[in-house]
Amino acid sequence: MKQNKIIAAVLILSLSASAYAQQSGVNTKNPKGTLHVDGARDNNASGDPTAPQQANDFVVTQAGNVGIGTVVPNAKLVINNGTAGAAIKIMDGTQANGYVLTSDANGVGAWAAVPAFRPTILGAFPPVPATVNANAGSGTIVYSGVSITLAPGKWAVNAGMTFNNITTDIWQHCYLSSNTASVAQAGFTHLGPAGTSTTYAGILLKAAKALPADVTGTGFISGSSVIEVTAPAGVTIYLVFQKWSTTIFSYNTNSPENYFYALPIQ
């Protein structure tokens, strides 16, 4: 008789285990999914937990949905933080301030700077106004004194340059360079059809006078160049001019028409 009671008890336990195997609870006797963890052990003994009680819960449903902070996830992963911000944190070494989570063609995610979320970058002009002449500098170029520092990515770099004291009609070239003493492109590339030969250019005329009484000319060159910064840490780019053997023009950094800035693009 005693043996029969033992067998019956084992059968009851087995049936009970089979019945409850559909839903397992940790810190709760009232699981709401295939797996339900009540972190603070504060849920109701029966019925659904309240929103504050669900805030510390973790649930896996029969459909394979996962809920964090909710016991009724209606998607494969639902996170209810209950407050603004800090609902998710992914640190894989690519994270940075202002970056967004992107994916490649295979759906592998990584943090990246998206142009729509990157600000326009303004060029740096000397705090003390300076004037450079066409025959200043060394080598074949003249450094304007103006620069801009850009992060990795594609940029449209826009420049506007006022030239004064023009004494000779010339076709003038202006370049973006990673060096103040030569035309170099370390850390960035031009994406336009001219490639490494890309330049801002225009004609400077002695007869184009800013005022009728002027004896020399005034000219303006502007343009936009699409570049890609490839240096992982970013790069400082300098605005430089074609050099001449004589002082056939001057460039004043504080001319009101001057500008130098970069717009982020896709």
Side-chain angles (χ1 to χ4, degrees), residues 21 25 108 120:
V108 178
T120 296

Side-chain angles (χ1 to χ4, degrees), residues 224-241:
S224 180
S225 178
V226 177
I227 69 169
E228 181 171 9
V229 175
T230 56
V235 65
T236 296
I237 297 174
Y238 305 96
L239 183 63
V240 299
F241 307 141

Side-chain angles (χ1 to χ4, degrees), residues 4-20:
N4 290 339
K5 288 182 178 179
I6 294 174
I7 293 173
V10 171
L11 288 173
I12 291 171
L13 290 173
S14 297
L15 291 172
S16 298
S18 177
Y20 283 101

Side-chain angles (χ1 to χ4, degrees), residues 54-259:
Q54 293 181 50
N56 56 71
D57 288 14
F58 172 88
V59 167
V60 179
T61 69
Q62 286 184 326
N65 292 350
V66 176
I68 301 175
T70 177
V71 298
V72 286
N74 55 6
K76 285 302 176 185
L77 176 62
V78 177
I79 300 175
N80 184 356
N81 193 43
T83 185
I88 185 172
K89 185 175 183 179
I90 301 175
M91 300 177 66
D92 65 350
T94 65
Q95 72 275 2
N97 184 42
Y99 277 33
V100 298
L101 193 62
T102 61
S103 70
D104 62 13
N106 297 316
V108 178
W111 294 107
V114 175
F117 296 94
R118 288 188 292 163
T120 296
I121 303 298
L122 301 179
F125 286 77
V128 177
T131 299
V132 297
N133 296 314
N135 66 337
S138 60
T140 59
I141 65 166
V142 177
Y143 174 40
S144 68
V146 180
S147 64
I148 191 167
T149 300
L150 300 175
K154 295 179 181 178
W155 301 86
V157 183
N158 302 277
M161 300 148 281
T162 302
F163 296 90
N164 303 300
N165 302 317
I166 302 169
T167 59
T168 303
D169 297 346
I170 55 169
W171 180 255
Q172 177 66 29
H173 295 90
C174 311
Y175 306 91
L176 299 179
S177 177
S178 56
N179 194 308
T180 60
S182 64
V183 179
Q185 293 170 17
F188 78 96
T189 58
H190 284 285
L191 300 182
T196 57
S197 300
T198 299
T199 176
Y200 307 111
I203 189 169
L204 302 181
L205 300 173
K206 178 181 178 180
K209 305 179 187 304
L211 296 172
D214 287 349
V215 295
T216 57
T218 297
F220 186 74
I221 295 176
S222 64
S224 180
S225 178
V226 177
I227 69 169
E228 181 171 9
V229 175
T230 56
V235 65
T236 296
I237 297 174
Y238 305 96
L239 183 63
V240 299
F241 307 141
Q242 177 182 0
K243 180 182 176 181
W244 299 88
S245 58
T246 57
T247 58
I248 57 177
F249 70 76
S250 63
Y251 169 80
N252 299 318
T253 60
N254 65 332
S255 291
E257 302 88 354
N258 293 343
Y259 59 84

Side-chain angles (χ1 to χ4, degrees), residues 20-26 28 30-37 58 60:
Y20 283 101
Q22 300 300 316
Q23 292 184 314
S24 298
V26 177
T28 178
N30 184 27
K32 296 301 178 180
T34 302
L35 174 63
H36 183 176
V37 179
F58 172 88
V60 179

